[in-house]
């Protein structure tokens, strides 16, 4: 990498860390930049996963106040993230690089629909619970566990827009605010990136220059994203999720 390519990767890392903390899809910024520097797709994916770990952790720390009272929920859902993230990392090396190209835009589009409809779905679910007299499960039950585990498989494989999928699933199945769910999302993303990266360290090729540049940049971006994201109203946050997700779908279809 020359100095300009290094600068581009660093700036992409800051941008990815910021947007990942607020919404997700930061990989759609860093991945094309890494490809433009000449890295092969799998090497770029692995380097990106390693580099984004500090950003995910930084974002989770920035949202620590919203994590208060969610310890049990986070611990349970973290198991799903661990299993799914490791499985996705294995699939990245076992399957051809085009394996998820067809289904990913469909997954993201479905997630966006759920984000848009989430307030109505939540009200309908709450009315049914009130009618049946059944309380909401604080951890979302088996359906959320399995859904997040499958989303984490995708996250361990590529990571782009996994945060949007997490938020759509939790928003539909958990009775809580978007900001608190976003805090959980950041923790789950950190776990998936970390478990996938640990696996990659031993079995895959990566570029240390790219890893360090993205790591430093994403850590800075994580703090920026936390400061911005925590100030957004639920409606603005939902609009931002849909906007970023739509751009993600277009970019994924054009790849």
């Amino acid at each position: 990498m020359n100095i300009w390519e290094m600068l581009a990767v660093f700036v992409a890392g800051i941008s990815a860390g910021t947007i990942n903390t607020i919404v997700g899809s930061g990989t759609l910024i860093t991945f094309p930049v890494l490809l433009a520097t000449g890295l092969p797709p799998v090497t770029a994916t692995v380097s990106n996963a390693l580099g984004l770990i500090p950003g995910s952790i930084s974002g989770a720390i920035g949202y620590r106040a919203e994590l208060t009272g969610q310890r049990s929920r986070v611990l349970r859902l973290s198991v799903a993230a661990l299993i799914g993230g490791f499985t996705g990392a294995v699939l990245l090396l076992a399957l051809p690089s085009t394996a998820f190209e067809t289904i990913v835009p469909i997954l993201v589009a479905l997630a966006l629909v759920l984000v848009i409809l989430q307030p109505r779905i939540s009200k309908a679910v709450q009315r049914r619970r009130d009618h049946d007299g059944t309380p909401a499960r604080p951890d979302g039950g088996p359906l959320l566990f399995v859904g997040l585990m499958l989303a984490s498989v995708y996250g361990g494989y590529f990571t782009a827009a996994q945060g949007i999928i997490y938020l759509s699933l939790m928003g539909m199945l958990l009775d809580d605010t978007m900001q608190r769910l976003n805090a959980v999302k950041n923790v789950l993303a950190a776990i998936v990136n970390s478990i996938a990266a640990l696996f990659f360290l031993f079995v895959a090729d990566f570029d240390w220059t790219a890893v360090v540049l993205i790591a430093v940049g994403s850590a800075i971006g994580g703090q920026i994203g936390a400061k911005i994201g925590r100030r957004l109203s639920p409606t603005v946050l939902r609009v931002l999720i849909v906007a970023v997700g739509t751009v993600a779908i277009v970019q994924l279809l054009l790849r």
Side-chain angles (χ1 to χ4, degrees), residues 17-25 55-68 70 73-74 77 115 118 162-171 174 176-190 222 224-234 236-238 240-241:
T18 301
I19 198 169
N20 273 342
T21 302
I22 301 173
V23 181
S25 300
S56 300
I57 296 173
S58 177
I61 292 172
Y63 265 90
R64 60 189 178 278
E66 284 74 17
L67 289 171
T68 303
Q70 298 198 79
R73 173 187 292 172
V74 169
L77 298 181
V115 168
Q118 185 260 325
Q162 68 167 325
I164 293 173
I165 299 174
Y166 286 158
L167 286 172
S168 68
L169 290 171
M170 290 190 292
L174 293 175
D176 216 329
T177 66
M178 286 292 289
Q179 292 291 1
R180 281 170 57 82
L181 297 183
N182 203 26
V184 177
K185 178 266 292 180
N186 286 328
V187 174
L188 298 181
I224 296 172
K227 291 182 183 300
I228 296 173
R230 295 176 68 201
R231 297 175 181 176
L232 300 178
S233 69
V236 173
L237 183 57
R238 190 170 287 109
L240 184 59
I241 291 170

Side-chain angles (χ1 to χ4, degrees), residues 1-18 30 33-34 37 39 47-55 206-222:
M1 280 188 206
N2 60 42
I3 187 65
W4 296 111
E5 289 174 334
M6 293 173 66
L7 180 60
V9 172
F10 177 67
V11 172
I14 295 176
S15 302
T18 301
T30 48
V33 173
L34 291 177
T37 66
L39 292 181
S47 301
N48 183 64
L50 286 165
L52 288 178
I53 294 174
F206 51 88
D207 186 291
W208 270 117
T209 302
V211 171
V212 172
L213 290 170
I214 293 176
V216 176
S218 67
I220 296 171

